[in-house]
Amino acid sequence: MTLDVGVLGYRFMGKAHANAMARLPMFFPDAPEINREVLVGRDEEALSEATDRLGFSRTTTDPTEAIESVDVFYNLGPNFVHPEYSIEALEAGVPVFCEKPLAPTMEEAEGMAEAASEAGVPNGCAFNYRFVPAIQYARNLIEAGELGEIYHVRGRYLQDWLVDPEAPWAWRLDEELAGSGALGDLGAHTIDLARFLVGDVEGEISEISGRLRTFTDERPTEDGETREVTVDDAYLATAEFEGGAVGSFEASRNANGRKNDHTIEIEGSKGSLKFSLERLNELEYKREGARGFETVLVTDSDDPYIDHWWPPGHVIGWEHTFVHENYEFLSAVDSGGEFAPSFEDGLATQRVLAAIEESDESGERVSLD
Amino acid sequence: MTLDVGVLGYRFMGKAHANAMARLPMFFPDAPEINREVLVGRDEEALSEATDRLGFSRTTTDPTEAIESVDVFYNLGPNFVHPEYSIEALEAGVPVFCEKPLAPTMEEAEGMAEAASEAGVPNGCAFNYRFVPAIQYARNLIEAGELGEIYHVRGRYLQDWLVDPEAPWAWRLDEELAGSGALGDLGAHTIDLARFLVGDVEGEISEISGRLRTFTDERPTEDGETREVTVDDAYLATAEFEGGAVGSFEASRNANGRKNDHTIEIEGSKGSLKFSLERLNELEYKREGARGFETVLVTDSDDPYIDHWWPPGHVIGWEHTFVHENYEFLSAVDSGGEFAPSFEDGLATQRVLAAIEESDESGERVSLD
Amino acid sequence: MTLDVGVLGYRFMGKAHANAMARLPMFFPDAPEINREVLVGRDEEALSEATDRLGFSRTTTDPTEAIESVDVFYNLGPNFVHPEYSIEALEAGVPVFCEKPLAPTMEEAEGMAEAASEAGVPNGCAFNYRFVPAIQYARNLIEAGELGEIYHVRGRYLQDWLVDPEAPWAWRLDEELAGSGALGDLGAHTIDLARFLVGDVEGEISEISGRLRTFTDERPTEDGETREVTVDDAYLATAEFEGGAVGSFEASRNANGRKNDHTIEIEGSKGSLKFSLERLNELEYKREGARGFETVLVTDSDDPYIDHWWPPGHVIGWEHTFVHENYEFLSAVDSGGEFAPSFEDGLATQRVLAAIEESDESGERVSLD
Amino acid sequence: MTLDVGVLGYRFMGKAHANAMARLPMFFPDAPEINREVLVGRDEEALSEATDRLGFSRTTTDPTEAIESVDVFYNLGPNFVHPEYSIEALEAGVPVFCEKPLAPTMEEAEGMAEAASEAGVPNGCAFNYRFVPAIQYARNLIEAGELGEIYHVRGRYLQDWLVDPEAPWAWRLDEELAGSGALGDLGAHTIDLARFLVGDVEGEISEISGRLRTFTDERPTEDGETREVTVDDAYLATAEFEGGAVGSFEASRNANGRKNDHTIEIEGSKGSLKFSLERLNELEYKREGARGFETVLVTDSDDPYIDHWWPPGHVIGWEHTFVHENYEFLSAVDSGGEFAPSFEDGLATQRVLAAIEESDESGERVSLD
């Protein structure tokens, strides 16, 4: 059976997922066959151009129509369209893959997770960095106890595209449209990776202190005016896990010189790990008994997903995480299996982000029990 | 017009090029339309499986038949099949893209370059590392004089897949079948990159001393016997360019701990560069007036080819070099333009490799004037 | 005039300072002449051995007697002896150099700073990392505005000597004797460096949230028993500076694989910096207009203090920071000038450490205004 | 017994050795007692100033007088004064420590080694990089077989102080005065380290091809004229060891962006090593069974010489190599034991340098059997 796929959103994420789908037959021959059936958007001209380029069969401006005609629905639109159409699809029994963060508010995120639970169909939240081979290799080490008891989890995601105070205003800087700033856009990835990597041994984050910061309060618009920035440029947090490890988390769009520096460091009684997204083929690993960190190029044929690609040392890129993610999600849809990260995972991360915001406002530590 | 493409070879290189062709429409919409028409091989079963997976329309075991029916011919077979079918295609006026090194012998390489010159159609030699954005960025710096007068060119390509003396014998270790070892397989890439990067300012290598070395003379075969290794495990060379710069070159398959470490370093009176293939998104650049090397992540939207892909910091992989290469070659075919690296470039590199072998045998410096 | 110097403490810090004093004549010929007059301790045998080895003229077990007979007094004993003898010396008009953190309690630290203020003689707190050439170079860049407006200050100090849960109990793990754990021992250095580097442009830390953590609650003693650990193994904090920058701070003695990794990162609107103590000759500097971080080897002849040592690229070590520190302090004593970091600086850092402890207990952000 | 030491030369090397001697009592209490008796030079004023600063008892302008009055003689003058006074001292039965390279010519070097052999007293050649703890740790790994069979030895020493074509002429650029350029000054260190590290398992270099290059033929003098440069700016060589390993060697004073980058890489069947002098506390080690290089900070208490210094992670500097070297040499003098690297080692290295020069001239490989 060929799965008809509908995708809402055709810009950055639409392109990343369409590319991933297009590559499955050549590299993951056991993936289910799919048909890029319909691309959903509002601007008909741009939509039409994208449909051709991204290899879809047709367009629609009506999400409901799309949902009714497909086997799988990808909700890759901006944050505020996540709840309505994701729930609509789930209620129609259509598996849904939704961008992160899951929803603009905790209430909506809870509604989505509930709908997913009731629908009983595969559902996914787009934390693609779980599908970096080096990250999966890291998780396997932790699961196997190679790091021993976990003491420290350190995650930060640094970019610099807002470092210039004269950089123009954009919709991503508006709380109504974007929900939050660095916290939701970047922090969501970090919190999810922390959960993915140490969740099985350390449980959830049980308690957190957070801080948000907007460095530039207003920015110029195209028409020569200025407009207020209503989201955070950076967040910082310190946390405790149920199992006793401590965590420190941070993200910024004002970190001069960092393009996409998503760094995760984990230290345990037996070993330690370091990872940076800008060098995503590598994992720094301090083994038990070793004297320092070893630079592991995670491109050997028995590393996660690598046998589908190229020989050792022939590095992969950022986009490959989407291929792995789509492979797993579509396989789950095809087989009726489970997929993680699910809406439940999206909700769990959102709960942490909300606690950071609450702590920022109250100045107090927030319990997540 | 849609170009019908025929490809001889369906393993590692066949897959790399088929993938590249498949990705052009989505990422390089101005590339010519192509039809993966026919895949050429000898093992019908394997060929048939590959044809489906790699998205070709049909198979043939007869290269001549393929050549006659296509607009472009890719010769991706082992070294010893390069001359015959490349020349056959060129004589038929069919543009040819051929794997490196160009040919098993200098005589054959000269024949191929001559055929290419007479045919007057686009022809390409598969030095894909020219198409790494960081390498093109590096070349632009050199062309613009940012490094000043060039003093040093240092290139080495280190792998470790033969480091175990008990690693099994394979056809790549036989001179008859493979031509040479590390020299032709890895050294060809290094010499071509040196020519690409500094050729316009320093000219060709004018004189070279070389040394070959086989560390393990015989290796076990599957049937419990041992078989002689007749190619080099490593080569070393020192050279002088026409412009006065000196070069040192090296490759090995016995460099324990290095998976695909192709490193190029260039030092000039004003600035310097370092590049490693294992971190191919990065270039280390010592600018004029700076105090040290700056790590440039060559993923900005105005970096070579990057606007076709993803936002800054979203790194690309090894395979992307093939997409860029195919884009340029097929565009040249479509427009009737020129493509580099051509057979002439393949021959120029082969001339250097032959001089290294000659010097290894004679123990004397070899002039390339 | 030759300055007679008395030093209380003859272990790690005693050796570091005695070595520094011994090296001044050869490398800093304009430093005042000094006489290592008297070494103060309790264990007469160990004291006597150290006196010979460290080049002192005589010993005493009576600090008061030492104070009365010298021109300068170094208080390098454990934390709990800092207040009494430092104040005694200051009241006698003797310049004092005291180890960090300044005192076990805020009250005592305030008493010491007050005594220093009233005495009007040079006084120093032992934050030796201010005297790393790369750190002074960094500070000069910030002062000159090369980083623009400061957004982020990130500091962490990671060691791993307690990572083994079976590592033995020691006096440093007892709150009575040591005051605090990683916070006072390591965090004091980080907070002082943050103040030193950005204090002039960002002012003091105005508000902070902190968290302490003890991973191993009890440890084995030599007699086969176990004893409670009453200090922190790690601290984490997020902060805001008066000028608007945010800071994140962390230290641990359980960071597997890190020996002495004191890292400072500062990001501003125009440029950024990174420093790690394990590579103390280097500064990573993202200049305005550059594309990435430049690795500056801060060993050129016009770099701070370097003209006293060796030619460019001949790296110095950890101990050299003590030579620079002693040079500055003793010169201030000799000339009657001022020295920083002073007791006032020690107090300012202690105020931040106390706020971190207070925040850890209350779970609330603490204002430092 | 206190050893009276005489030192010829009071500039860079004189200072480095005087400092080393001064530090022995505090850090190496079992070193023999020495008296910095006499400093030898020609410029009486400069000599007198240095004598005070470097802690010598008296000066002389007559080397012979010095030799007759001391127990040990350090010959740290320029190359051309090495043979005469070293031989004079040896013939007087005085142990000699001599700067590298041993002599201006092979004949003189042979004469010195012969004199040393006949004298039967300790004699040393100043290859101080043997005394870097990371280098000794590396050697121990190789001796213990941890790298298995050695395949590759790669050494290069890059500096950039001549990169500017307008940098002034200096005596080091004159063949008469300096012997050679980068080859003798930098290459001597590299060849000695290669011998030290792999000599016991691979034997000597048996055969070598070399190349010298002067990039800037003449340079401005202080009086507005230009003067010819008669030494090499860079050398390159490839070699074979008796045991079968291959080596590649290079040095330059025109390597823009490199201050003192002496890099050694060794690859074997079981493991590999990398070392760079600019980060001399570190060794990159690919262990058997590991997947990549591990960054070892060679500052643990059981690392070579480290227990004399500071706790783990408190890095040492370039000058410490001189302390270790002097400790070993003076201990050998005191005990009548042997010291390496000896004049014999200096001669062995000189033999390789001479072969590189010979090969550069003839264009042919030179055998060293």
mmCIF file of all heavy atoms in Angstrom, chain D residues 214-244:
data_model
loop_
_atom_site.group_PDB
_atom_site.id
_atom_site.type_symbol
_atom_site.label_atom_id
_atom_site.label_comp_id
_atom_site.label_asym_id
_atom_site.label_seq_id
_atom_site.Cartn_x
_atom_site.Cartn_y
_atom_site.Cartn_z
ATOM 1 N N THR D 214 64.691 28.662 -0.391
ATOM 2 C CA THR D 214 64.762 30.017 0.137
ATOM 3 C C THR D 214 63.754 30.856 -0.637
ATOM 4 O O THR D 214 63.868 31.003 -1.848
ATOM 5 C CB THR D 214 66.180 30.593 -0.037
ATOM 6 O OG1 THR D 214 67.110 29.694 0.573
ATOM 7 C CG2 THR D 214 66.290 31.962 0.605
ATOM 8 N N PHE D 215 62.748 31.350 0.064
ATOM 9 C CA PHE D 215 61.677 32.086 -0.614
ATOM 10 C C PHE D 215 62.069 33.538 -0.903
ATOM 11 O O PHE D 215 61.654 34.122 -1.878
ATOM 12 C CB PHE D 215 60.396 32.066 0.224
ATOM 13 C CG PHE D 215 59.832 30.694 0.436
ATOM 14 C CD1 PHE D 215 59.866 30.086 1.685
ATOM 15 C CD2 PHE D 215 59.266 29.996 -0.628
ATOM 16 C CE1 PHE D 215 59.348 28.816 1.875
ATOM 17 C CE2 PHE D 215 58.745 28.726 -0.452
ATOM 18 C CZ PHE D 215 58.789 28.129 0.805
ATOM 19 N N THR D 216 62.847 34.097 -0.009
ATOM 20 C CA THR D 216 63.226 35.500 -0.153
ATOM 21 C C THR D 216 64.745 35.562 -0.248
ATOM 22 O O THR D 216 65.445 35.286 0.729
ATOM 23 C CB THR D 216 62.717 36.318 1.048
ATOM 24 O OG1 THR D 216 61.309 36.114 1.166
ATOM 25 C CG2 THR D 216 62.998 37.798 0.871
ATOM 26 N N ASP D 217 65.244 35.921 -1.414
ATOM 27 C CA ASP D 217 66.672 35.787 -1.693
ATOM 28 C C ASP D 217 67.524 36.864 -1.059
ATOM 29 O O ASP D 217 68.698 36.656 -0.790
ATOM 30 C CB ASP D 217 66.905 35.791 -3.208
ATOM 31 C CG ASP D 217 66.362 34.549 -3.849
ATOM 32 O OD1 ASP D 217 66.365 33.488 -3.182
ATOM 33 O OD2 ASP D 217 65.891 34.621 -4.994
ATOM 34 N N GLU D 218 66.919 38.041 -0.877
ATOM 35 C CA GLU D 218 67.688 39.082 -0.206
ATOM 36 C C GLU D 218 66.752 39.895 0.669
ATOM 37 O O GLU D 218 65.546 39.984 0.411
ATOM 38 C CB GLU D 218 68.427 39.959 -1.207
ATOM 39 C CG GLU D 218 67.555 40.589 -2.272
ATOM 40 C CD GLU D 218 68.368 41.405 -3.266
ATOM 41 O OE1 GLU D 218 69.536 41.073 -3.496
ATOM 42 O OE2 GLU D 218 67.819 42.388 -3.801
ATOM 43 N N ARG D 219 67.319 40.469 1.691
ATOM 44 C CA ARG D 219 66.506 41.196 2.669
ATOM 45 C C ARG D 219 67.198 42.508 3.011
ATOM 46 O O ARG D 219 68.420 42.638 2.900
ATOM 47 C CB ARG D 219 66.311 40.353 3.928
ATOM 48 C CG ARG D 219 65.400 39.146 3.691
ATOM 49 C CD ARG D 219 65.133 38.356 4.955
ATOM 50 N NE ARG D 219 64.160 37.309 4.708
ATOM 51 C CZ ARG D 219 62.831 37.474 4.761
ATOM 52 N NH1 ARG D 219 62.324 38.646 5.072
ATOM 53 N NH2 ARG D 219 62.027 36.456 4.507
ATOM 54 N N PRO D 220 66.387 43.492 3.451
ATOM 55 C CA PRO D 220 66.952 44.808 3.766
ATOM 56 C C PRO D 220 67.812 44.770 5.032
ATOM 57 O O PRO D 220 67.502 44.042 5.978
ATOM 58 C CB PRO D 220 65.713 45.689 3.987
ATOM 59 C CG PRO D 220 64.615 44.734 4.315
ATOM 60 C CD PRO D 220 64.929 43.457 3.603
ATOM 61 N N THR D 221 68.878 45.546 5.012
ATOM 62 C CA THR D 221 69.696 45.692 6.217
ATOM 63 C C THR D 221 69.369 47.029 6.862
ATOM 64 O O THR D 221 68.666 47.864 6.292
ATOM 65 C CB THR D 221 71.193 45.658 5.866
ATOM 66 O OG1 THR D 221 71.435 46.665 4.879
ATOM 67 C CG2 THR D 221 71.577 44.299 5.309
ATOM 68 N N GLU D 222 69.932 47.236 8.051
ATOM 69 C CA GLU D 222 69.616 48.456 8.797
ATOM 70 C C GLU D 222 70.071 49.722 8.091
ATOM 71 O O GLU D 222 69.500 50.789 8.279
ATOM 72 C CB GLU D 222 70.272 48.385 10.186
ATOM 73 C CG GLU D 222 69.526 47.452 11.113
ATOM 74 C CD GLU D 222 70.163 47.434 12.491
ATOM 75 O OE1 GLU D 222 71.094 48.224 12.717
ATOM 76 O OE2 GLU D 222 69.711 46.627 13.329
ATOM 77 N N ASP D 223 71.108 49.588 7.281
ATOM 78 C CA ASP D 223 71.656 50.781 6.641
ATOM 79 C C ASP D 223 71.022 51.063 5.277
ATOM 80 O O ASP D 223 71.577 51.784 4.461
ATOM 81 C CB ASP D 223 73.177 50.647 6.509
ATOM 82 C CG ASP D 223 73.559 49.348 5.795
ATOM 83 O OD1 ASP D 223 72.650 48.664 5.283
ATOM 84 O OD2 ASP D 223 74.763 49.040 5.762
ATOM 85 N N GLY D 224 69.840 50.463 5.025
ATOM 86 C CA GLY D 224 69.122 50.795 3.799
ATOM 87 C C GLY D 224 69.568 50.001 2.581
ATOM 88 O O GLY D 224 69.056 50.189 1.487
ATOM 89 N N GLU D 225 70.541 49.123 2.752
ATOM 90 C CA GLU D 225 70.973 48.245 1.661
ATOM 91 C C GLU D 225 70.166 46.947 1.702
ATOM 92 O O GLU D 225 69.293 46.783 2.547
ATOM 93 C CB GLU D 225 72.466 47.898 1.833
ATOM 94 C CG GLU D 225 73.361 49.092 2.015
ATOM 95 C CD GLU D 225 73.528 49.869 0.710
ATOM 96 O OE1 GLU D 225 73.863 49.241 -0.312
ATOM 97 O OE2 GLU D 225 73.298 51.109 0.707
ATOM 98 N N THR D 226 70.484 46.045 0.798
ATOM 99 C CA THR D 226 69.925 44.695 0.908
ATOM 100 C C THR D 226 71.101 43.729 0.976
ATOM 101 O O THR D 226 72.195 44.042 0.511
ATOM 102 C CB THR D 226 69.051 44.313 -0.309
ATOM 103 O OG1 THR D 226 69.863 44.357 -1.471
ATOM 104 C CG2 THR D 226 67.866 45.245 -0.450
ATOM 105 N N ARG D 227 70.823 42.557 1.552
ATOM 106 C CA ARG D 227 71.897 41.585 1.676
ATOM 107 C C ARG D 227 71.342 40.209 1.354
ATOM 108 O O ARG D 227 70.183 39.906 1.644
ATOM 109 C CB ARG D 227 72.442 41.632 3.116
ATOM 110 C CG ARG D 227 73.689 40.830 3.288
ATOM 111 C CD ARG D 227 74.523 41.282 4.457
ATOM 112 N NE ARG D 227 75.475 40.254 4.813
ATOM 113 C CZ ARG D 227 76.266 40.287 5.856
ATOM 114 N NH1 ARG D 227 76.220 41.333 6.687
ATOM 115 N NH2 ARG D 227 77.103 39.302 6.122
ATOM 116 N N GLU D 228 72.184 39.392 0.795
ATOM 117 C CA GLU D 228 71.734 38.087 0.328
ATOM 118 C C GLU D 228 71.436 37.139 1.495
ATOM 119 O O GLU D 228 72.158 37.137 2.504
ATOM 120 C CB GLU D 228 72.819 37.447 -0.554
ATOM 121 C CG GLU D 228 72.280 36.313 -1.409
ATOM 122 C CD GLU D 228 73.401 35.606 -2.174
ATOM 123 O OE1 GLU D 228 74.569 36.042 -2.052
ATOM 124 O OE2 GLU D 228 73.109 34.619 -2.871
ATOM 125 N N VAL D 229 70.380 36.376 1.333
ATOM 126 C CA VAL D 229 70.053 35.314 2.280
ATOM 127 C C VAL D 229 70.693 34.038 1.758
ATOM 128 O O VAL D 229 70.415 33.626 0.630
ATOM 129 C CB VAL D 229 68.532 35.134 2.405
ATOM 130 C CG1 VAL D 229 68.200 33.904 3.252
ATOM 131 C CG2 VAL D 229 67.890 36.387 2.980
ATOM 132 N N THR D 230 71.565 33.435 2.564
ATOM 133 C CA THR D 230 72.306 32.264 2.064
ATOM 134 C C THR D 230 71.936 30.970 2.783
ATOM 135 O O THR D 230 72.608 29.959 2.633
ATOM 136 C CB THR D 230 73.828 32.521 2.172
ATOM 137 O OG1 THR D 230 74.112 32.985 3.489
ATOM 138 C CG2 THR D 230 74.269 33.558 1.162
ATOM 139 N N VAL D 231 70.874 31.027 3.566
ATOM 140 C CA VAL D 231 70.376 29.786 4.183
ATOM 141 C C VAL D 231 68.954 29.517 3.704
ATOM 142 O O VAL D 231 68.314 30.374 3.096
ATOM 143 C CB VAL D 231 70.394 29.850 5.727
ATOM 144 C CG1 VAL D 231 71.807 30.063 6.237
ATOM 145 C CG2 VAL D 231 69.438 30.916 6.232
ATOM 146 N N ASP D 232 68.479 28.313 3.997
ATOM 147 C CA ASP D 232 67.136 27.910 3.602
ATOM 148 C C ASP D 232 66.069 28.525 4.513
ATOM 149 O O ASP D 232 66.254 28.633 5.719
ATOM 150 C CB ASP D 232 67.015 26.389 3.664
ATOM 151 C CG ASP D 232 67.350 25.851 5.047
ATOM 152 O OD1 ASP D 232 68.529 25.929 5.460
ATOM 153 O OD2 ASP D 232 66.420 25.394 5.749
ATOM 154 N N ASP D 233 64.920 28.891 3.919
ATOM 155 C CA ASP D 233 63.738 29.302 4.687
ATOM 156 C C ASP D 233 62.915 28.087 5.089
ATOM 157 O O ASP D 233 62.109 28.163 6.025
ATOM 158 C CB ASP D 233 62.848 30.216 3.837
ATOM 159 C CG ASP D 233 63.449 31.594 3.618
ATOM 160 O OD1 ASP D 233 64.151 32.077 4.522
ATOM 161 O OD2 ASP D 233 63.208 32.183 2.548
ATOM 162 N N ALA D 234 63.066 27.012 4.326
ATOM 163 C CA ALA D 234 62.247 25.821 4.568
ATOM 164 C C ALA D 234 62.978 24.598 4.042
ATOM 165 O O ALA D 234 63.784 24.701 3.112
ATOM 166 C CB ALA D 234 60.899 25.938 3.853
ATOM 167 N N TYR D 235 62.707 23.456 4.671
ATOM 168 C CA TYR D 235 63.180 22.193 4.106
ATOM 169 C C TYR D 235 62.028 21.206 4.098
ATOM 170 O O TYR D 235 61.079 21.340 4.888
ATOM 171 C CB TYR D 235 64.363 21.632 4.912
ATOM 172 C CG TYR D 235 63.949 20.755 6.073
ATOM 173 C CD1 TYR D 235 63.862 19.355 5.939
ATOM 174 C CD2 TYR D 235 63.599 21.306 7.290
ATOM 175 C CE1 TYR D 235 63.456 18.563 7.000
ATOM 176 C CE2 TYR D 235 63.186 20.523 8.353
ATOM 177 C CZ TYR D 235 63.114 19.149 8.204
ATOM 178 O OH TYR D 235 62.700 18.360 9.244
ATOM 179 N N LEU D 236 62.114 20.223 3.201
ATOM 180 C CA LEU D 236 61.146 19.129 3.152
ATOM 181 C C LEU D 236 61.916 17.844 2.906
ATOM 182 O O LEU D 236 62.916 17.855 2.175
ATOM 183 C CB LEU D 236 60.141 19.301 2.013
ATOM 184 C CG LEU D 236 59.272 20.561 1.995
ATOM 185 C CD1 LEU D 236 59.942 21.662 1.211
ATOM 186 C CD2 LEU D 236 57.898 20.255 1.417
ATOM 187 N N ALA D 237 61.454 16.750 3.495
ATOM 188 C CA ALA D 237 62.135 15.479 3.269
ATOM 189 C C ALA D 237 61.173 14.316 3.454
ATOM 190 O O ALA D 237 60.222 14.413 4.225
ATOM 191 C CB ALA D 237 63.308 15.326 4.243
ATOM 192 N N THR D 238 61.448 13.244 2.711
ATOM 193 C CA THR D 238 60.748 11.984 2.973
ATOM 194 C C THR D 238 61.820 10.927 3.209
ATOM 195 O O THR D 238 62.887 10.976 2.606
ATOM 196 C CB THR D 238 59.833 11.558 1.808
ATOM 197 O OG1 THR D 238 60.636 11.157 0.693
ATOM 198 C CG2 THR D 238 58.910 12.681 1.385
ATOM 199 N N ALA D 239 61.516 9.974 4.071
ATOM 200 C CA ALA D 239 62.573 9.075 4.520
ATOM 201 C C ALA D 239 62.046 7.678 4.786
ATOM 202 O O ALA D 239 60.841 7.451 4.860
ATOM 203 C CB ALA D 239 63.190 9.625 5.807
ATOM 204 N N GLU D 240 62.979 6.773 4.936
ATOM 205 C CA GLU D 240 62.629 5.429 5.355
ATOM 206 C C GLU D 240 63.501 5.076 6.559
ATOM 207 O O GLU D 240 64.686 5.409 6.599
ATOM 208 C CB GLU D 240 62.867 4.448 4.213
ATOM 209 C CG GLU D 240 62.334 3.066 4.510
ATOM 210 C CD GLU D 240 62.265 2.178 3.268
ATOM 211 O OE1 GLU D 240 61.860 2.684 2.196
ATOM 212 O OE2 GLU D 240 62.623 1.002 3.382
ATOM 213 N N PHE D 241 62.893 4.400 7.530
ATOM 214 C CA PHE D 241 63.634 3.924 8.698
ATOM 215 C C PHE D 241 64.107 2.499 8.457
ATOM 216 O O PHE D 241 63.525 1.768 7.653
ATOM 217 C CB PHE D 241 62.748 3.963 9.946
ATOM 218 C CG PHE D 241 62.487 5.343 10.461
ATOM 219 C CD1 PHE D 241 61.531 6.158 9.853
ATOM 220 C CD2 PHE D 241 63.198 5.854 11.532
ATOM 221 C CE1 PHE D 241 61.289 7.446 10.319
ATOM 222 C CE2 PHE D 241 62.975 7.136 12.015
ATOM 223 C CZ PHE D 241 62.012 7.930 11.400
ATOM 224 N N GLU D 242 65.113 2.106 9.206
ATOM 225 C CA GLU D 242 65.623 0.732 9.079
ATOM 226 C C GLU D 242 64.520 -0.294 9.282
ATOM 227 O O GLU D 242 64.465 -1.318 8.624
ATOM 228 C CB GLU D 242 66.740 0.506 10.105
ATOM 229 C CG GLU D 242 68.028 1.235 9.777
ATOM 230 C CD GLU D 242 69.019 1.260 10.931
ATOM 231 O OE1 GLU D 242 68.637 0.834 12.051
ATOM 232 O OE2 GLU D 242 70.160 1.705 10.721
ATOM 233 N N GLY D 243 63.604 0.001 10.193
ATOM 234 C CA GLY D 243 62.537 -0.953 10.508
ATOM 235 C C GLY D 243 61.405 -0.989 9.508
ATOM 236 O O GLY D 243 60.513 -1.816 9.613
ATOM 237 N N GLY D 244 61.414 -0.068 8.539
ATOM 238 C CA GLY D 244 60.396 -0.114 7.509
ATOM 239 C C GLY D 244 59.382 1.016 7.546
ATOM 240 O O GLY D 244 58.636 1.203 6.579
#
